[in-house]
């Protein structure tokens, strides 16, 4: 095997991770909205 095989792959992983995190920071923050429940008319 080639020397520095793991180091090279780790560096590529770090570059992909950094690009992902940079892109993620620019995405709008969305919240999960649950549908509103109607008032219980039986009460």
């Amino acid at each position: 095997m080639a020397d520095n095989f793991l180091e090279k792959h780790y560096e590529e992983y770090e570059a992909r991770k950094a690009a992902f995190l940079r892109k993620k920071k620019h995405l709008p923050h969305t919240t999960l909205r649950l549908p509103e429940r109607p008032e219980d008319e039986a009460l």
Side-chain angles (χ1 to χ4, degrees):
M1 295 202 98
D3 291 343
N4 299 326
F5 176 79
L6 294 176
E7 289 83 359
K8 180 181 178 189
H9 281 274
Y10 186 74
E11 289 172 3
E12 291 173 357
Y13 160 75
E14 287 291 326
R16 288 193 313 269
K17 180 179 173 183
F20 169 78
L21 291 176
R22 275 194 309 274
K23 183 179 178 184
K24 181 180 175 184
K25 286 183 181 180
H26 296 291
L27 296 178
H29 181 69
T30 57
T31 58
L32 178 62
R33 293 188 178 188
L34 299 175
E36 294 182 17
R37 293 186 176 183
E39 299 259 342
D40 189 11
E41 297 176 7
L43 297 176

